[in-house]
Amino acid sequence: MPPVAQEGNCLIYRGSNFLKQRLVLSCLSGKPVKITQIRAEDEGAPGLREYEISLIRLLDKLTNGTKIELNPAGTSVMFSPGLLHGGHLEHDCCVQRGIGYYLDALIALGPFCKMPLKCQLRGVTNSNDSPSVDHVKGAALSLLKRYLLVDEGLELRVVRRGVAPLGGGEVLFTCPVRKSLRAIQLQEPGMVKRIRGTVYACKVSPAMANRTVESAKGCMLKFLPDVYIYTDQNRGKMSGNSPGFGICLLAETTDGVCFAADCISNTREESDTPSIPEDLGREAAMRLLDEIYRGGCCDSAYQWLAALFMALGQKHVSKFLTGALSTYTVHFLQHLRDFFSVTFKLENPEIDEDDEDDVRGAQKVLMTCVGIGYTNVSKRVL
């Protein structure tokens, strides 16, 4: 949705959709953003949700000089970003969303901070409504490495697991800073060479994890011999505050592209029927096959991240091949135009019918843009 109006440098939007996109781009561009009518018609609970307020607090900790104004009902927020500072942060994430929801913002902002980022996040490590920590580690960090060139200091470590609804997990995310990002041209995804996975079990029988592994492996071995899924059994304090189990599968290609898929057991609030490990393993395998079918040079959950780093890269042409664009990515491209005046050329690459290797997977999209040459003004000159 385009901005409703613009007052000087300030962009004005309506509604709660894509709040995170707008706040992240506001921090990067330095443009204030005002968002009005946030769930104004929701009589039961109008205004910002607790997890959105938690995200705003995290961005406040990450920056210096940010001004935030909320109206009493919480249906309007004025966000004036300060300078990205970084450094050592600790944050208790709201358990209504997984830690992946907050990590997305940190991954987008981390390279442009003044100090290298070292962030401890506590909350739900694996949930249905956000990418799991394993998903972020596999898909998002592998993409970020391509733009950073040297990945020294880039790490995401699971200290403790904690599943929904009560969480109790903890992760440590470190990210180096860069003066600028390089422009890249990535048009060859390569062939899938191996599949790796993690099955975790918190406060449930270890047999649940083993049954999930067998089911997922049974599906994957039909396509590829190199499949290895390891189990992460958690007991006591290391297992968080809620029982549950889940799986994250990762497919790696010959060109270093990663596709990921998650599946997690139901909580009592979501469903009265307990999850069956065999169904969970099969569901995760099918989701991964769907991601591989979509194809492209990144996971569908992180197309927006590729678009962001293309737009902020050096003043050269960047090209990136993805699968069909998700709705989230389409709106992100519109927001990039609002905040940075960057437009993308989107085209479907021609398929050579004679080349058997080309006729695989779904229709692809080739994104092309010229970077704005964004430089990290906060980075200290050593």
Side-chain angles (χ1 to χ4, degrees):
M1 184 190 289
V4 177
Q6 189 165 351
E7 292 176 1
N9 206 18
C10 178
L11 295 171
I12 301 171
Y13 291 93
R14 274 189 201 142
S16 60
N17 287 346
F18 313 109
L19 178 89
K20 180 168 62 173
Q21 290 186 11
R22 292 163 181 170
L23 295 180
V24 166
L25 290 174
S26 172
C27 288
L28 287 168
S29 66
K31 289 183 179 178
V33 65
K34 184 177 184 181
I35 303 167
T36 61
Q37 298 181 22
I38 300 170
R39 301 187 185 90
E41 295 176 8
D42 186 341
E43 292 178 7
L48 290 167
R49 296 283 182 262
E50 200 179 322
Y51 65 88
E52 292 166 334
I53 293 170
S54 183
L55 175 69
I56 291 171
R57 284 194 185 124
L58 177 61
L59 294 177
D60 190 29
K61 289 178 185 176
L62 188 69
T63 53
N64 243 344
T66 295
K67 291 179 183 174
I68 302 152
E69 293 173 22
L70 276 171
N71 71 344
T75 55
S76 174
V77 60
M78 176 73 188
F79 186 85
S80 303
L83 291 173
L84 289 164
H85 187 264
H88 189 96
L89 303 176
E90 288 187 25
H91 187 66
D92 291 315
C93 302
C94 174
V95 293
Q96 291 175 358
R97 282 283 183 279
I99 288 177
Y101 176 81
Y102 304 91
L103 277 173
D104 283 355
L106 292 179
I107 287 170
L109 300 173
F112 306 105
C113 289
K114 181 178 180 180
M115 312 277 287
L117 192 59
K118 185 177 183 182
C119 192
Q120 278 178 290
L121 298 175
R122 287 181 286 271
V124 176
T125 55
N126 303 81
S127 70
N128 277 321
D129 47 37
S130 313
S132 71
V133 174
D134 309 275
H135 190 143
V136 174
K137 187 175 182 178
L141 294 200
S142 64
L143 184 61
L144 181 55
K145 282 175 188 175
R146 291 183 182 273
Y147 290 91
L148 294 180
L149 259 178
V150 180
D151 62 348
E152 187 182 349
L154 182 64
E155 187 193 9
L156 177 57
R157 186 160 53 85
V158 182
V159 181
R160 277 200 311 269
R161 283 206 185 269
V163 297
L166 300 177
E170 184 179 335
V171 302
L172 180 66
F173 175 61
T174 58
C175 181
V177 292
R178 290 286 179 272
K179 188 73 180 166
S180 60
L181 297 179
R182 66 186 189 130
I184 65 170
Q185 301 204 352
L186 207 57
Q187 299 177 62
E188 284 299 321
M191 304 291 281
V192 175
K193 63 175 179 178
R194 65 183 175 202
I195 290 169
R196 296 290 179 263
T198 305
V199 173
Y200 49 88
C202 303
K203 297 186 185 300
V204 295
S205 164
M208 295 291 199
N210 298 332
R211 286 164 60 188
T212 309
V213 169
E214 290 305 313
S215 173
K217 238 179 164 179
C219 292
M220 287 291 139
L221 286 172
K222 294 175 185 174
F223 304 97
L224 206 67
D226 189 359
V227 179
Y228 182 76
I229 303 172
Y230 82 91
T231 55
D232 182 9
Q233 306 279 1
N234 296 281
R235 291 192 179 91
K237 288 183 179 178
M238 301 303 288
S239 61
N241 301 329
S242 295
F245 61 99
I247 177 170
C248 179
L249 293 175
L250 205 68
E252 297 176 40
T253 74
T254 48
D255 285 9
V257 174
C258 287
F259 302 110
D262 285 318
C263 216
I264 184 170
S265 59
N266 295 331
T267 62
R268 282 181 186 171
E269 287 80 6
E270 291 170 344
S271 173
D272 292 334
T273 54
S275 297
I276 300 167
E278 286 78 10
D279 291 350
L280 213 66
R282 202 176 305 112
E283 173 73 16
M286 291 303 154
R287 287 183 187 180
L288 185 67
L289 291 173
D290 188 49
E291 281 293 338
I292 294 168
Y293 175 75
R294 278 170 173 252
C297 296
C298 71
D299 188 81
S300 66
Y302 286 101
Q303 294 168 342
W304 66 271
L305 194 63
L308 174 67
F309 291 152
M310 284 171 72
L312 299 182
Q314 293 167 358
K315 292 182 180 177
H316 300 297
V317 175
S318 288
K319 292 189 176 185
F320 201 97
L321 187 74
T322 73
L325 295 181
S326 65
T327 310
Y328 192 84
T329 310
V330 171
H331 284 278
F332 193 79
L333 294 177
Q334 291 171 349
H335 283 119
L336 277 174
R337 186 189 60 205
D338 296 342
F339 283 92
F340 290 105
S341 304
V342 175
T343 50
F344 282 73
K345 180 184 177 187
L346 304 176
E347 55 189 331
N348 298 119
E350 292 179 12
I351 295 175
D352 183 357
E353 298 293 343
D354 300 328
D355 185 354
E356 290 183 7
D357 282 351
D358 260 2
V359 192
R360 59 174 188 264
Q363 178 69 64
K364 306 292 183 286
V365 176
L366 183 63
M367 299 196 294
T368 311
C369 84
V370 177
I372 62 168
Y374 186 88
T375 53
N376 184 352
V377 291
S378 308
K379 186 176 185 291
R380 289 186 301 179
V381 181
L382 301 174

